[in-house]
Amino acid sequence: MLGLEISSIPAILPTLEQRLSAEFRQLQWIMNAYTLAMTTCLMAMGALADRYGRKRVFVTGIAVFGLASLVCGLAETVPILIAARFLQGASGAAMLSSQVAVLSHQFRDGAERGTAFGWWGIVFGIGLGFGPLIGGVTVAVANWEWVFLVHVGLALVTLTLARRGVVESSDPHAVRIDLPGMTTLSLAVFCLVYLIIQGQTPDTRHPVELILAGVGIASILAFVAVETRTRRPMFDFGAFRTRAFSGALLGSAGMNFSFWPFVIYLPIYFQSVLELTSVAAGLVLLAYTMPTLAVPPFAEGLLKRRGPGFVIPLGLFTIGTGFILMWLAATGSGAGWWVMLPGCLLAGTGLGLTNTPVTNTATAALPAERVGMASGMDMSARMISLALNIALMGFILLQGNRVALETSAALSDTAALDRIAEAIAAGNLSAAGADGIDLVAARQALTHSFGWVMLYGAACAWSLSALSLMVFGRNGHSSPADQNGEALCRAGVEGSDGELCVAASAGEGRVMQR
């Protein structure tokens, strides 16, 4: 459900732009309402799951997600759709934070755990991989509403399976909810994303943006202050002292600085620049998303043999290389869907290498009773970076269009330039034609701006690959099971024989004794 929801919606954005008369910024909000709500609620849901039971929160999230999907499918206006998407994101946060904690609790053995997370990646990859095609085919043979309504049926099936198969678990030490931390983090992320999407610099001419900038900065500072002083914070900055956990979170951010936000805009490129139908665009997008289905079992095997310090930086580097190949294909003289395939396949392979090892490593790096917090921090890193980069990539698209139009069309009217740039970014080239911009110039502007976005994605993936490699260090070549053992030792957790684990430095490595 989560994978399908992420990758099928971008395929219908051009249709929503026409059927609901949605503007480019509204299209951004249709996507970002989901990610913002998930970001806002993810840590809270992880804390609630630890406190009141992971199965209970998981089942509740499934039910609300199905209800929100029904509202999305029945929406007749953009504001109602955006509001329902917020509800989807909040319930999706409950499902996502709980399911990782459930898997970590029910599958603790190294081999069994690797198999479980491998299958989690496969099932997630099925939704992600076939989402673009399902979205395109649904629009072609039925209507866009069914892209949302399908989740109503899926929710009923998932509820049945969850009630029968999921074992209830919780954190006995989680006695209260970190409400100040939830509130300050939510405000900070919302203010920042809103300012990026609006694309206005806070100054005295824009008092609302100026106030939001101040609230955002104050919220960030308050969040750090609250979390460093709370006895059991939902976002434990002390966890960053564990190299494996810090490296895994850099991997979470890296995927969402590059791969995932770009899948939202890529259908616009295929349909508006390459002039593919929605079904054809969905088929080509399979090259971008399908490796996420095939690669996770291989990635889990590589994780066991070489450790996260090898596989996660490798995955991010592969994503960046795929973006460079896509940039060369899109900006070259022979642009076409077939020349985009190698870059799409390579980027998807990199994502498959990174995705499940990141989650497995993050949850294994900390003590078992804090797995809800660990999964919440992991998913929050993903969703915060995704929300920010949906906005940032949209901003880069707009600015790229502006620069190209200023050069080719010699437009000087700022209002007209903004209006045309937004229309082109949304894939509405006919609207640009109504303002006197011919289709060739509009297509060239969109190609130019997509080139900027692809370079941005490559730079982010490569930078975070290098940074994660540095953070993992030499310890990054141990398996998640070994890292979990080390985390238990640091926490003073007793072994099955009743003796206390003691971690001691020994030369360049670490020796664990029981």
Side-chain angles (χ1 to χ4, degrees):
M1 290 169 70
L2 287 167
L4 189 61
E5 183 63 19
I6 290 171
S7 64
S8 64
I9 306 307
I12 68 169
L13 289 180
T15 301
L16 294 178
E17 188 270 334
Q18 297 173 4
R19 302 285 177 84
L20 298 181
S21 300
E23 300 174 352
F24 179 67
R25 285 193 171 95
Q26 288 178 319
L27 294 178
Q28 286 184 287
W29 277 114
I30 288 171
M31 288 304 304
N32 240 341
Y34 182 83
T35 55
L36 263 179
M38 185 171 283
T39 301
T40 299
C41 300
L42 202 56
M43 294 302 298
M45 293 302 174
L48 288 170
D50 283 347
R51 174 67 179 86
Y52 296 108
R54 290 147 187 167
K55 178 178 180 177
R56 180 179 300 174
V57 173
F58 182 51
V59 169
T60 303
I62 295 167
V64 177
F65 193 91
L67 177 63
S69 299
L70 178 63
V71 178
C72 285
L74 299 177
E76 296 181 353
T77 64
V78 173
I80 292 177
L81 179 57
I82 291 173
R85 291 281 287 163
F86 266 105
L87 187 58
Q88 265 193 325
S91 54
M95 291 197 298
L96 189 57
S97 62
S98 300
Q99 69 178 279
V100 175
V102 164
L103 284 175
S104 297
H105 174 77
Q106 290 190 220
F107 302 98
R108 299 191 182 188
D109 175 69
E112 190 180 42
R113 181 189 184 89
T115 302
F117 274 98
W119 275 106
W120 177 75
I122 289 174
V123 175
F124 196 30
I126 289 173
L128 292 170
F130 288 98
L133 181 60
I134 291 172
V137 171
T138 301
V139 171
V141 302
N143 50 53
W144 64 266
E145 290 89 344
W146 283 101
V147 175
F148 295 105
L149 293 176
V150 67
H151 293 290
V152 179
L154 286 174
L156 294 174
V157 175
T158 311
L159 275 172
T160 303
L161 294 174
R163 290 175 65 87
R164 292 180 178 179
V166 174
V167 176
E168 185 62 280
S169 63
S170 62
D171 180 1
H173 302 292
V175 295
R176 68 181 186 85
I177 303 301
D178 184 10
L179 186 60
M182 297 175 194
T183 305
T184 51
L185 178 63
S186 302
L187 273 175
V189 175
F190 178 82
C191 291
L192 186 54
V193 170
Y194 181 86
L195 290 172
I196 296 172
I197 289 179
Q198 293 303 111
Q200 294 177 339
T201 304
D203 58 34
T204 54
R205 294 173 298 173
H206 305 121
V208 174
E209 283 76 15
L210 190 62
I211 292 171
L212 283 175
V215 171
I217 293 171
S219 298
I220 292 173
L221 296 176
F223 174 71
V224 175
V226 165
E227 296 305 283
T228 52
R229 287 169 172 78
T230 301
R231 185 174 180 181
R232 283 186 67 81
M234 69 170 190
F235 200 96
D236 187 358
F237 286 97
F240 289 113
R241 289 195 293 268
T242 304
R243 281 177 172 263
F245 184 77
S246 298
L249 256 63
L250 286 171
S252 294
M255 294 184 294
N256 293 287
F257 267 82
S258 52
F259 187 92
W260 286 125
F262 191 58
V263 78
I264 292 167
Y265 298 105
L266 196 51
I268 295 175
Y269 175 82
F270 285 142
Q271 293 186 47
S272 299
V273 176
L274 301 184
E275 302 181 82
L276 300 179
T277 65
S278 60
V279 175
L283 286 169
V284 177
L285 277 168
L286 289 178
Y288 191 73
T289 57
M290 280 300 289
T292 64
L293 171 61
V295 176
F298 171 75
E300 285 296 325
L302 195 61
L303 180 66
K304 292 176 187 176
R305 295 192 301 271
R306 301 295 300 272
F310 174 82
V311 67
I312 292 175
L314 174 64
L316 293 179
F317 182 81
T318 304
I319 292 173
T321 305
F323 269 75
I324 290 295
L325 290 182
M326 284 190 286
W327 172 72
L328 292 172
T331 58
S333 57
W337 66 265
W338 58 91
V339 296
M340 290 286 290
L341 289 181
C344 289
L345 286 167
L346 196 60
T349 300
L351 190 282
L353 286 171
T354 311
N355 191 31
T356 54
V358 159
T359 302
N360 199 345
T361 302
T363 54
L366 300 181
E369 70 272 11
R370 294 294 275 160
V371 69
M373 185 273 296
S375 64
M377 289 179 70
D378 169 34
M379 295 305 168
S380 287
R382 295 181 187 228
M383 301 313 299
I384 289 172
S385 53
L386 178 59
L388 291 176
N389 281 281
I390 289 173
L392 280 170
M393 285 190 175
F395 178 77
I396 293 170
L397 272 178
L398 286 174
Q399 295 307 309
N401 286 334
R402 283 176 58 92
V403 170
L405 290 171
E406 285 176 336
T407 303
S408 63
L411 285 172
S412 57
D413 184 348
T414 303
L417 188 61
D418 290 340
R419 184 177 65 254
I420 297 170
E422 287 191 21
I424 293 174
N428 190 357
L429 303 189
S430 59
D435 282 297
I437 306 298
D438 64 81
L439 289 178
V440 174
R443 228 172 247 118
Q444 288 176 343
L446 194 55
T447 301
H448 175 262
S449 59
F450 264 100
W452 282 18
V453 173
M454 291 170 189
L455 288 177
Y456 170 78
C460 288
W462 279 351
S463 298
L464 286 164
S465 172
L467 189 57
S468 67
L469 187 63
M470 292 171 57
V471 168
F472 275 116
R474 297 186 180 183
N475 250 12
H477 293 281
S478 58
S479 70
D482 294 336
Q483 291 159 8
N484 188 40
E486 188 174 342
L488 292 173
C489 285
R490 281 195 300 273
V493 177
E494 291 186 0
S496 59
D497 56 2
E499 297 181 9
L500 188 68
C501 279
V502 179
S505 297
E508 293 294 326
R510 292 183 64 81
V511 176
M512 291 191 295
Q513 298 175 337
R514 174 163 291 176

